[in-house]
Amino acid sequence: MEAKVSTGKYWLWFFIWLGIMITLLVVYREFFWLALPGTVTYFAKAMDLI
């Protein structure tokens, strides 16, 4: 049986990165892809996929 890992901090980081990504989409459209790795990584960690 696997121990449950708290994912609260990963959700917090995901929403921070999501805010950064949305801000970049609005302000600097050409740089929005720079926030994709952080957003996707922390979403996967929050969903306990990795």
Side-chain angles (χ1 to χ4, degrees):
M1 188 172 248
E2 295 181 26
K4 287 283 186 177
V5 178
S6 176
T7 59
K9 66 180 177 179
Y10 295 133
W11 281 112
L12 176 65
W13 278 112
F14 165 70
F15 285 117
I16 290 171
W17 276 105
L18 185 63
I20 292 170
M21 187 173 72
I22 291 170
T23 302
L24 286 173
L25 267 172
V26 172
V27 180
Y28 299 111
R29 200 168 202 70
E30 63 273 9
F31 294 117
F32 116 95
W33 61 273
L34 292 173
L36 280 176
T39 306
V40 172
T41 300
Y42 282 108
F43 179 73
K45 286 187 172 218
M47 294 293 291
D48 203 22
L49 299 174
I50 58 173

